């Protein structure tokens, strides 16, 4: 309750007073201070985004919703509203970059969400081709005897037909698995090999789909902004989301296996490791969201 009261007082009274005092002292508006002081990256863009969203000015508030094609005009409109000279190229360039990142993030989320909503369709030739490609990437020396087969369990699906495992994440789950297996083939096969350990193994494909769900959730709730704003000085693309997913997969390389070994030095049979093994991912979050700024 007190946090809500403080937030209300700060946003509606104290913040406005501080902005007014700082403007008197520096002769610059909040956007000028943010874009002129901080280095390019998440800290600057997140601060700009918050400033625009909290502004009482309609032009500034609407700036966080502009499309890529409207960014240049939006920059001019903001400079006009704040009475900033158009020849201030540093301000113009930095604001343009921040707005591209903000706009690109929103567009990326929509693209990822649209792909997630596409259900896997066994009647769709493209879907089937991607699924078969995943098999060939992970099991190059073993032929798939039939489309409906218990062999799918060898790469971590739950049953004879993998399509049932994509229900939660739709086609996005398959696309991520194929992307990782194609761009990090050796690593993918190593992880798969460890996942098939008779005592300490886990379902490779299922864990991969669960990691897709985690990456999607981070994108949806905005947590991924810190990573993407640091790594992409422009429009975040679907490729960047896939690369982030690969960070998860690469970090998990052997982590679940090693965690089980540490907990069971006598090598006794244990329950299979699943996506519920959160500790390795907590370390991953620390590396991505804190280490990226250092």
């Amino acid at each position: 309750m007190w946090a809500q009261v403080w937030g209300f007082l700060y946003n509606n009274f104290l913040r406005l007073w501080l902005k007014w005092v700082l403007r008197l002292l520096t002769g610059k508006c909040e956007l000028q201070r943010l874009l002129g002081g901080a280095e390019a990256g998440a800290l600057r863009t997140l601060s700009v985004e918050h400033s625009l969203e909290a502004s009482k000015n309609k032009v500034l508030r609407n700036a966080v919703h502009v499309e890529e094609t409207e960014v240049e005009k939006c920059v001019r409109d903001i400079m006009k509203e704040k009475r900033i000279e158009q020849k201030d190229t540093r301000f113009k360039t930095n604001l343009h970059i921040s707005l591209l990142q903000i706009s690109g993030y929103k567009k990326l989320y929509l693209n990822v969400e649209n792909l997630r909503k596409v259900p896997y369709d066994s009647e769709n030739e493209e879907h089937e081709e991607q699924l078969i490609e995943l098999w060939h990437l992970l099991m190059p020396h073993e032929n798939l005897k039939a489309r409906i087969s218990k062999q799918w369990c060898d790469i971590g699906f739950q049953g004879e037909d993998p399509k049932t495992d994509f229900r939660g994440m739709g086609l996005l789950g398959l696309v991520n698995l194929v992307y990782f297996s194609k761009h990090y083939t050796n690593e993918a096969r190593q992880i798969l090999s460890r996942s098939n350990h008779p005592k300490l193994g886990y379902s490779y494909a299922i864990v991969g789909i669960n990691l897709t769900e985690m990456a999607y959730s981070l994108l949806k709730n905005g947590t991924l902004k810190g990573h993407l704003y640091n790594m992409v000085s422009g429009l975040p693309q679907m490729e960047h989301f896939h690369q982030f997913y690969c960070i998860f997969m690469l970090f998990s390389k052997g982590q679940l296996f090693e965690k089980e070994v540490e907990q069971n030095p006598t090598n006794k049979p244990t329950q299979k490791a699943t996506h519920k093994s959160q500790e390795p991912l907590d370390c991953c979050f620390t590396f991505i969201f804190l280490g990226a700024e250092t």
Side-chain angles (χ1 to χ4, degrees):
M1 177 181 176
W2 288 112
Q4 294 177 335
V5 171
W6 168 251
F8 175 81
L9 292 174
Y10 175 78
N11 289 323
N12 291 275
F13 300 102
L14 183 58
R15 181 174 180 275
L16 296 176
W17 182 79
L18 286 174
K19 285 174 62 177
W20 177 74
V21 170
L22 289 173
R23 173 121 196 190
L24 286 178
L25 293 175
T26 65
K28 297 179 179 180
C29 69
E30 185 176 44
L31 284 177
Q32 286 176 302
R33 296 193 300 272
L34 293 174
L35 292 168
E39 295 182 359
L43 180 61
R44 188 174 76 184
T45 300
L46 286 170
S47 298
V48 169
E49 188 173 14
H50 179 264
S51 176
L52 294 172
E53 290 174 338
S55 176
K56 301 295 184 181
N57 187 300
K58 185 177 179 180
V59 173
L60 272 64
R61 286 200 312 274
N62 290 340
V64 297
H65 303 295
V66 298
E67 299 289 337
E68 175 189 355
T69 55
E70 302 171 329
V71 167
E72 190 171 343
K73 178 181 181 301
C74 183
V75 171
R76 292 197 302 268
D77 291 343
I78 290 175
M79 295 180 74
K80 182 178 179 180
E81 284 288 323
K82 304 304 291 183
R83 298 178 183 178
I84 301 171
E85 294 184 4
Q86 294 292 328
K87 64 181 181 179
D88 188 345
T89 55
R90 182 181 182 185
F91 177 89
K92 184 183 295 186
T93 300
N94 291 343
L95 179 58
H96 190 272
I97 291 172
S98 292
L99 291 181
L100 278 179
Q101 290 181 313
I102 295 168
S103 171
Y105 189 92
K106 294 179 185 297
K107 186 176 181 180
L108 173 60
Y109 168 69
L110 292 177
N111 290 337
V112 170
E113 175 68 5
N114 288 336
L115 188 58
R116 186 191 69 85
K117 287 181 178 178
V118 177
Y120 184 90
D121 182 5
S122 57
E123 300 298 323
N124 187 306
E125 186 175 342
E126 292 183 3
H127 294 187
E128 287 289 285
E129 287 177 354
Q130 290 187 71
L131 183 59
I132 299 302
E133 181 182 11
L134 177 63
W135 175 268
H136 290 316
L137 287 167
L138 294 174
M139 306 288 282
H141 303 301
E142 184 174 339
N143 292 327
L144 185 64
K145 297 177 181 179
R147 167 61 179 80
I148 307 297
S149 170
K150 290 184 179 180
Q151 286 179 285
W152 290 111
C153 297
D154 294 340
I155 61 173
F157 288 103
Q158 292 179 323
E160 297 182 357
D161 191 350
K163 73 175 184 179
T164 59
D165 293 325
F166 294 118
R167 288 173 182 167
M169 287 291 104
L171 196 60
L172 179 64
L174 175 58
V175 170
N176 271 344
L177 282 170
V178 172
Y179 182 95
F180 178 69
S181 300
K182 183 182 295 185
H183 291 81
Y184 299 90
T185 307
N186 291 335
E187 291 81 356
R189 292 173 184 172
Q190 289 174 13
I191 297 172
L192 175 62
S193 177
R194 287 194 171 189
S195 74
N196 284 324
H197 189 279
K199 295 179 180 178
L200 308 175
Y202 55 92
S203 299
Y204 173 84
I206 297 303
V207 169
I209 293 171
N210 285 325
L211 290 178
T212 290
E213 183 177 6
M214 294 186 70
Y216 163 78
S217 297
L218 292 173
L219 179 70
K220 183 178 181 179
N221 65 27
T223 305
L224 201 52
K225 288 179 180 180
H227 173 70
L228 291 178
Y229 289 169
N230 274 326
M231 303 303 295
V232 186
S233 59
L235 289 167
Q237 306 287 340
M238 182 68 78
E239 181 81 6
H240 299 118
F241 179 78
H242 293 325
Q243 290 172 1
F244 175 75
Y245 170 80
C246 290
I247 294 175
F248 267 178
M249 292 294 285
L250 289 171
F251 189 87
S252 72
K253 179 182 176 182
Q255 293 296 314
L256 298 178
F257 179 89
E258 291 167 6
K259 180 177 175 65
E260 289 286 343
V261 171
E262 289 173 3
Q263 292 178 347
N264 300 276
T266 58
N267 210 28
K268 294 180 180 179
T270 62
Q271 187 178 12
K272 284 189 176 183
T274 68
H275 63 290
K276 294 181 181 179
S277 297
Q278 184 68 37
E279 186 176 317
L281 293 178
D282 289 340
C283 297
C284 184
F285 293 153
T286 301
F287 168 76
I288 292 169
F289 301 114
L290 298 182
E293 296 185 11
T294 59

